Amino acid sequence: MTRDFVHETRPGRVVFAAGARHRLAAETERLGLRRLIVISTPEQAELAGELAAPLRDRVAARHPHAAMHVPAEVAAAAVARARETGADGCVAVGGGSAIGLAKAIARETGLPIVALPTTYAGSEMTPIWGVSEDGRKTTGRDPKVLPATVLYDPELTVTLPPALTITSGVNALAHSAEALYAPDCSPVTALVAAESVRALAGALPRLRDSPSNPDARADALYGAWLAGAALGSTTMSLHHQLCHILGGTFDLPHAQTHTAVLPHVLAVNLPHVPAALAALRSALGAADPAGHLFHLARDLGAEMSLKILGLPEDGLTAVIDQALASPYANPAPVTEAALRRILDGALTGRPPA
């Protein structure tokens, strides 16, 4: 078989263990950091304070102001805070919102990031940044925003609410599904993505039945790590484009939106990519990956209707117009008919055709 591909491995250190959060001081010391700005959402300020306590006087500032989709004004305030305190590094505690805000700081200042993820968002493994302004979410790639060190501690995910556990996990699974048919997917990335799907799909039902199961939490976080690595090595496609538009324009919740949209995008794309279809069939143990993921998420309690998540019916045209104006690389032709099929199904929450 002829092989022609490029695979780029990005620098970064991963520490994965129950209790890995207790190694934060040692890991920042390893990087030579002396003045750290600690980033979190307001809701996780207390946790961030607890985790940063061993850093003692190396904490230059605590900034618990991260917000979903990284609003531009929030990003600007965080950059200003980092500069005025003379920070030489960021500690990000939380999911995509906190890590996204740390990336906004890193993009402007070059400060290294040490991330402690508490969800399965996967942002900590990618050089992708995003900022929202005036109803639009802009994303890009910059190696400066890739965290220098990630501390994966499954115990930090135990308090993740059951509903968010499921949607955050499916959000991670979306990264791997799209990586499998990305134009720059290498054989190594395909292996990582398929293993991620297997780990996540196997862990989520166990977490529904036993939310504090340590082995299931570890498996889900392992799968999320691999999903983020797969996403960071490939080009994003239609699924991520639609979710960025829905989040940036209508402020829909991030993980829930990914969960509702993914099965419908897969139903459109997978017939055009036999290798990705075969990989997902094997990883999920299902002949119809799109339908299987829809029913898995719904049966585990996820809301599958964008309308219930906050998308107005008259908003579909705005989403379609934006998607057609700046199309992402995608295996199936991105037409108005295909977009309407995807969005109509996700709006109502019905199974993919």
Side-chain angles (χ1 to χ4, degrees):
M1 181 173 67
T2 301
R3 295 187 184 273
D4 185 343
F5 63 88
V6 173
H7 180 77
E8 183 174 343
T9 300
R10 302 185 185 278
R13 176 178 170 87
V14 168
V15 178
F16 194 112
R21 63 191 183 278
H22 300 305
R23 305 183 195 180
L24 175 60
E27 291 298 324
T28 55
E29 180 71 30
R30 181 179 178 275
L31 293 169
L33 303 178
R34 291 290 180 270
R35 291 188 59 79
L36 292 153
I37 181 169
V38 180
I39 303 296
S40 72
T41 61
E43 295 79 9
Q44 292 197 297
E46 183 177 354
L47 173 63
E50 291 174 2
L51 296 182
L55 298 175
R56 301 180 185 276
D57 58 1
R58 283 190 282 157
V59 175
R62 294 180 183 175
H63 193 80
H65 304 297
M68 189 169 60
H69 305 306
V70 193
E73 63 276 14
V74 173
V79 170
R81 182 72 170 140
R83 284 176 168 154
E84 72 186 20
T85 57
D88 63 1
C90 300
V91 171
V93 177
S97 297
I99 294 167
L101 185 56
K103 286 182 171 184
I105 295 172
R107 180 172 169 243
E108 294 296 327
T109 66
L111 298 184
I113 300 170
V114 177
L116 292 94
T118 61
T119 73
Y120 307 127
S123 176
E124 67 281 351
M125 291 307 298
T126 79
I128 301 166
W129 58 267
V131 174
S132 298
E133 186 173 19
D134 298 329
R136 298 290 179 99
K137 185 169 184 176
T138 302
T139 63
R141 287 176 179 261
D142 189 329
K144 288 190 299 187
V145 309
L146 183 69
T149 302
V150 181
L151 301 178
Y152 281 114
D153 187 341
E155 293 174 353
L156 289 178
T157 67
V158 170
T159 57
L160 198 62
L164 189 54
T165 291
I166 302 307
T167 55
S168 183
V170 178
N171 175 24
L173 201 150
H175 304 334
S176 294
E178 283 224 314
L180 283 167
Y181 55 69
D184 47 1
C185 181
S186 75
V188 173
T189 300
L191 289 171
V192 169
E195 172 67 4
S196 165
V197 172
R198 271 189 287 272
L200 285 161
L204 293 180
R206 292 150 61 204
L207 289 174
R208 186 268 317 269
D209 297 335
S210 180
S212 60
N213 182 322
D215 292 335
R217 286 288 175 187
D219 288 349
L221 194 59
Y222 164 72
W225 162 40
L226 297 182
L231 177 66
S233 300
T234 54
T235 302
M236 291 185 292
S237 297
L238 179 60
H239 169 78
H240 282 83
Q241 181 189 25
L242 290 177
C243 291
H244 290 159
I245 294 170
L246 290 163
T249 304
F250 298 99
D251 200 33
L252 298 191
H254 183 81
Q256 294 90 328
T257 300
H258 276 268
T259 301
V261 171
L262 177 63
H264 301 278
V265 176
L266 291 181
V268 167
N269 278 341
L270 289 181
H272 297 263
V273 278
L277 176 60
L280 286 173
R281 281 175 167 169
S282 176
L284 294 170
D288 174 19
H292 179 82
L293 286 173
F294 176 90
H295 291 290
L296 174 68
R298 188 185 65 180
D299 292 349
L300 292 176
E303 177 52 63
M304 303 305 290
S305 166
L306 291 179
K307 183 176 182 179
I308 292 177
L309 292 175
L311 178 65
E313 289 191 37
D314 61 4
L316 295 189
T317 299
V319 177
I320 291 170
D321 288 347
Q322 288 187 52
L324 291 175
S326 302
Y328 283 27
N330 196 66
V334 180
T335 64
E336 181 176 353
L339 291 169
R340 195 161 292 280
R341 172 185 167 190
I342 291 166
L343 293 167
D344 281 345
L347 180 73
T348 58
R350 65 176 181 265

